[in-house]
Amino acid sequence: MSKININEKFGLFDEQWTPKIIAESNGQLVKIAKGSGELVWHKHDNEDELFVVFKGQLTLKLQAGNIVLNPGEMYIVPKGIEHCPVAKPDTHFMMIEPASTAHTGEIETTITISQDKQEWI
Amino acid sequence: MSKININEKFGLFDEQWTPKIIAESNGQLVKIAKGSGELVWHKHDNEDELFVVFKGQLTLKLQAGNIVLNPGEMYIVPKGIEHCPVAKPDTHFMMIEPASTAHTGEIETTITISQDKQEWI
């Protein structure tokens, strides 16, 4: 593999809430996404989900309260915990999660992208 | 858990080549480290090792050639591949790897920190 420049990868797409896969390590996928507005409440029963913000602001709404992530900040939503991501316009973030992780958990929305349709860039 | 500010965590220690654990996700540990100069050639037979650079420059010497990582760049050393990390002074980087990963693989050096002595910060 070649090295990966994370910001260059963010320049390759414009879709919102559409994770792009940039790497795989130990069965986990490294994904980047852009977001704006609210996604949907959902959970992943078997997978922890790691978020790192690169630009903008990502709020992870949890039943226990909101986690507000600015650039350089990270959070791990533990398996089984309901969450709803909300982003300021043009927020850029990374997720690291097992290849089995469904985009919006058990919830199907018009913006849900099934794992097998998530694109490598 | 609380959110993690990655740069604040880098401010909490000064040791070189001494990984500090900042999070766990799906059995993998998120570690940060500072490096300067050369570590040692080694490999991890069963674990891929993900590197992301935050400051300075980290070169991963491989038998196939050198991977030179600047801030915002990442690389995954696949399991079984020999590598030797070399860093410019005060280089800051993150590693994500399974909890089973030995610091310098099968090689024991004076700076090797066994997994059970790697500190959470």
Side-chain angles (χ1 to χ4, degrees):
Chain A
M1 70 174 282
S2 304
K3 71 176 179 180
I4 295 166
N5 183 300
I6 298 168
N7 278 328
E8 277 180 17
K9 294 290 189 186
F10 276 116
L12 297 179
F13 67 98
D14 288 316
E15 303 103 298
Q16 306 290 302
W17 301 121
T18 305
K20 305 291 185 183
I21 304 167
I22 63 169
E24 185 277 337
S25 184
N26 299 301
Q28 297 202 72
L29 298 175
V30 181
K31 303 177 181 181
I32 59 172
K34 298 181 177 182
S36 183
E38 186 160 316
L39 187 56
V40 63
W41 280 95
H42 65 282
K43 63 185 166 64
H44 309 288
D45 285 333
N46 302 306
E47 299 99 350
D48 302 326
E49 192 165 37
L50 186 157
F51 292 87
V52 187
V53 173
F54 284 76
K55 181 181 174 190
Q57 188 179 74
L58 179 70
T59 296
L60 297 167
K61 293 164 72 177
L62 309 175
Q63 304 292 358
N66 290 353
I67 306 291
V68 180
L69 299 179
N70 294 302
E73 294 182 334
M74 58 179 280
Y75 189 79
I76 294 160
V77 178
K79 54 179 68 86
I81 296 295
E82 290 214 81
H83 56 286
C84 178
V86 184
K88 287 195 174 175
D90 202 30
T91 289
H92 296 188
F93 60 100
M94 175 183 282
M95 288 171 292
I96 302 180
E97 56 192 19
S100 57
T101 310
H103 183 206
T104 51
E106 74 290 8
I107 307 294
E108 194 75 22
T109 73
T110 54
I111 48 175
T112 299
I113 312 283
S114 65
Q115 185 66 54
D116 61 336
K117 293 212 174 61
Q118 291 181 26
E119 183 186 14
W120 277 80
I121 59 171
Chain B
M1 67 174 286
S2 304
K3 70 176 178 179
I4 294 166
N5 182 301
I6 298 168
N7 278 327
E8 276 180 19
K9 293 289 189 187
F10 276 115
L12 297 179
F13 67 99
D14 289 315
E15 303 104 298
Q16 306 289 302
W17 301 121
T18 306
K20 305 291 185 183
I21 305 166
I22 62 170
E24 185 277 339
S25 184
N26 298 302
Q28 296 202 72
L29 298 176
V30 181
K31 303 177 181 180
I32 59 172
K34 297 180 178 182
S36 184
E38 185 160 317
L39 187 56
V40 65
W41 280 94
H42 66 283
K43 62 184 165 65
H44 310 288
D45 286 332
N46 301 305
E47 299 98 350
D48 303 326
E49 193 166 35
L50 185 158
F51 292 88
V52 187
V53 172
F54 283 77
K55 181 182 172 189
Q57 186 180 76
L58 179 70
T59 297
L60 298 168
K61 293 164 74 177
L62 309 175
Q63 304 292 359
N66 290 351
I67 306 291
V68 181
L69 298 178
N70 295 302
E73 295 183 334
M74 59 179 282
Y75 189 80
I76 294 160
V77 177
K79 52 179 72 82
I81 298 293
E82 290 212 83
H83 55 286
C84 178
V86 184
K88 287 195 173 175
D90 203 29
T91 289
H92 296 188
F93 60 100
M94 175 183 281
M95 288 171 292
I96 302 180
E97 57 192 20
S100 56
T101 310
H103 183 206
T104 52
E106 75 290 7
I107 307 294
E108 194 75 21
T109 74
T110 54
I111 47 175
T112 299
I113 312 283
S114 64
Q115 185 66 55
D116 61 335
K117 294 211 172 60
Q118 290 181 26
E119 185 187 13
W120 276 80
I121 60 172

